[in-house]
Amino acid sequence: MSATTIRRMIKPVTKHAAGRLAGSLLALAALMAPADAASRASRAKRAAGAAATVAVDYGINLAGLPIGTARLAGSFDRDRYLMDVSAVLTGLVGAITGGKGSARASGSFAAAPQPGAFAIATQTASSGIAVRMALAHGNVVQAEITPPLVDMQDRVPVTASNKRGIIDPVSALLMPTQGRGEPLDPENCNRTLPVFDGATRFNVVLSYAETRPVQKPGYAGPVLVCNARYQAVAGHRPDRPGVKFMEENREMSVWLAPVEGTRVLIPLRISVLTTIGTNIIEATRWSQGGNAGTTGTAGAAGTSVAQASLPGQ
């Protein structure tokens, strides 16, 4: 396979698969701080005794070729969560692009996640981008993009209403149980994720397809298979072929697995058809227990997250 062919592969991988459905597997953010030192100590003590943790390693494949790895590490303390995600392109793809990034989101959850902070940082050999957002009750209260987006006249404007009632891409990977509260209730598939990544607003519409048994290192049991649809809302360029392709795409799905000791599900597998083949992000190892939020590549991401706070926070 030539280097030119590989370059053609990179754009749909990062923009369509990871960026749209996986919640961009590449991001940074800071935890919202407690109001005072006393509450911080109390919350830390409770987390040490009650938090459930999970760590999942993923392989990233495009058209049957391995092109990268990713890792998700989450900590869940009652109705609060912290999720770190990191990804890196490897092999020839990685050598050409230098593509890598990391992610963090935190907040609370009930029927849906209520993020408090989110940011995204990605890097290639030639450029990088960072987005940081602070949120309250599902509404964006502060955001910045570095470097600023280029003003494209054909881009659908993002209005103030587009920044209300949303979740960030990393929090979109966290799906609390619905309906009767049973992890494998098909109703847990039937939901719409209103995602805003700091630049674009879009919906991921999920619907139940089937329940199937899965066996992976560290996980053996049934998973929910949900069909997925992409709906552009704002911030996109509607005449771009990639946007039209994704809006018409019927070959997208996500497998959801329950996290033991919690009432949440997270992706075990994400599959998205692109113009050059199917992009699959699939778990290679699943583990629970221990301090998952500070292990592996996701934990490394957390080191730089501490410096991702917005001005005035």
Side-chain angles (χ1 to χ4, degrees), residues 26-73:
L26 308 171
L28 282 183
L31 276 169
M32 294 186 70
D36 53 46
S39 66
R40 179 162 53 245
S42 175
R43 185 166 296 173
K45 182 177 180 181
R46 185 174 69 251
T53 60
V54 63
V56 188
D57 295 313
Y58 299 90
I60 306 174
N61 292 269
L62 178 62
L65 299 175
I67 64 167
T69 60
R71 182 177 174 87
L72 180 154

Side-chain angles (χ1 to χ4, degrees), residues 244-313:
K244 293 181 177 180
F245 176 85
M246 288 301 294
E247 288 186 310
E248 297 171 359
N249 196 346
R250 300 295 190 275
E251 300 297 324
M252 297 190 291
S253 65
V254 57
W255 297 5
L256 298 178
V259 178
E260 185 178 354
T262 75
R263 55 186 184 86
V264 304
L265 302 98
I266 60 174
L268 193 77
R269 183 181 192 267
I270 296 169
S271 176
V272 180
L273 178 67
T274 75
T275 56
I276 59 173
T278 300
N279 180 227
I280 296 175
I281 303 169
E282 186 163 8
T284 57
R285 177 172 292 277
W286 174 291
S287 61
Q288 291 194 228
N291 192 1
T294 58
T295 61
T297 53
T303 301
S304 56
V305 167
Q307 301 178 29
S309 58
L310 289 165
Q313 284 189 289

Side-chain angles (χ1 to χ4, degrees), residues 58-280:
Y58 299 90
I60 306 174
N61 292 269
L62 178 62
L65 299 175
I67 64 167
T69 60
R71 182 177 174 87
L72 180 154
S75 176
F76 309 97
D77 179 15
R78 298 185 183 181
D79 63 347
R80 298 198 63 80
Y81 69 92
L82 166 65
M83 291 178 61
D84 283 301
V85 182
S86 61
V88 59
L89 299 180
T90 59
L92 182 57
V93 174
I96 292 174
T97 67
K100 61 182 179 179
S102 55
R104 176 175 282 188
S106 63
S108 61
F109 63 89
Q114 291 280 309
F118 161 80
I120 180 170
T122 63
Q123 180 181 339
T124 67
S126 60
S127 64
I129 186 170
V131 179
R132 293 187 289 272
M133 292 195 300
L135 306 96
H137 308 294
N139 304 322
V140 178
V141 296
Q142 193 174 4
E144 66 177 34
I145 302 177
T146 307
L149 288 177
V150 176
D151 185 17
M152 297 292 185
Q153 297 300 317
D154 60 344
R155 193 184 304 276
V156 176
V158 176
T159 66
S161 64
N162 296 142
K163 300 179 183 180
R164 293 196 291 268
I166 61 92
I167 56 179
D168 64 81
V170 175
S171 297
L173 299 173
L174 167 66
M175 302 189 202
T177 56
Q178 300 186 136
R180 295 170 296 179
E182 297 296 329
L184 297 174
D185 187 335
E187 279 301 307
N188 289 321
C189 270
N190 300 328
R191 68 181 82 203
T192 296
L193 309 178
V195 184
F196 180 62
D197 62 11
T200 57
R201 169 72 177 82
F202 57 94
N203 292 330
V204 178
V205 182
L206 301 178
S207 60
Y208 176 74
E210 63 174 325
T211 302
R212 66 166 62 185
V214 169
Q215 187 161 355
K216 297 285 183 182
Y219 182 89
V223 299
L224 293 177
V225 179
C226 314
N227 293 324
R229 294 290 308 279
Y230 167 75
Q231 294 178 341
V233 176
H236 62 291
R237 301 167 69 186
D239 293 331
R240 300 285 291 183
V243 173
K244 293 181 177 180
F245 176 85
M246 288 301 294
E247 288 186 310
E248 297 171 359
N249 196 346
R250 300 295 190 275
E251 300 297 324
M252 297 190 291
S253 65
V254 57
W255 297 5
L256 298 178
V259 178
E260 185 178 354
T262 75
R263 55 186 184 86
V264 304
L265 302 98
I266 60 174
L268 193 77
R269 183 181 192 267
I270 296 169
S271 176
V272 180
L273 178 67
T274 75
T275 56
I276 59 173
T278 300
N279 180 227
I280 296 175

